[in-house]
Amino acid sequence: MFLGAILVFFMQAGFAMVETGFTQERNAVHVMMTNFTIFAIGVIGYFLVGYALMFGGVGAITALGGSEILSTKVEIASGWSLFGFKGFALAGSGVYDVGIFLFFLFQVVFMDTAATIVTGAMAERWKFKAFIVYGLFMSMILYPVFGHWVWGGGWLSQLGANLGLGMVSSISRVHRWCTR
C-alpha cells in the first residue's frame, strides 16, 4: 500500500508538467503553484475533517489493524449511510495505529489526485483565493462524502446488499450456484 501511495503521489509532478505545458508562458508559475499547493491545502482539510466524514463510520479496517471504536455514521435509514462522524483530525482514544495512518496516507494521495484534475481544467482561469476555497471544499466535503457513499460503507456501496443490485448480489448468486 505504501508503494502504491508513493506512485500515485508522483502523478502530481506529471499533472503539473502537463498542465503547465498547455498554458501560456506568462501563467506557467501560477499553474505550477496551484498544482503543488493543492496537496498542502488538501492534506490539511482531509486531516481535519475529510477522513472522519469518509471513513468515520466504517468500523474496524481489519486488514490494517484498525479498531472497532470508529463506528459512528449519519444514516437516512438502516444501512443507508450518508457520512461518517468520528475521528476528526485523526483524534480518538487509542483508535489509530500504524495501519490507519498508512490507510490515511493512501487515501490522501487519491484525494489529491481528484483535486488536481480540476486544477488542470481551471488552469489560467481562477484567482488564488478561489483556488484556496475550492481546495478546502474538495478535501473537507466533496471528495470525502462521495467517497463514503462508495467506499466507506455508504448508501451506494450498500445497494447490492440492501436491494439485491450490483456486485454483492451477483457474487452471492454465483456463490449459491457454485455450491449446489
Side-chain angles (χ1 to χ4, degrees), residues 46-61 66-75 81-92 95-96 100 103-104 107 140 143-154:
Y46 196 71
F47 170 77
L48 293 174
V49 177
Y51 187 79
L53 292 180
M54 193 164 174
F55 292 106
V58 171
I61 303 175
S67 68
E68 200 58 52
I69 297 171
L70 289 175
S71 60
T72 305
K73 296 181 194 178
V74 175
E75 296 182 333
S81 166
L82 293 177
F83 53 87
F85 207 74
K86 182 95 171 163
F88 291 95
L90 291 178
V95 175
Y96 296 106
I100 297 296
F103 188 66
F104 171 78
Q107 293 302 323
M140 295 171 95
Y143 182 81
V145 169
F146 181 76
H148 178 78
W149 292 352
V150 178
W151 301 294

Side-chain angles (χ1 to χ4, degrees), residues 17 43 52 62 70 74 112 123-124 129 145 149:
M17 288 188 264
V43 166
T62 55
L70 289 175
V74 175
D112 180 50
E124 300 182 307
K129 287 184 229 176
V145 169
W149 292 352

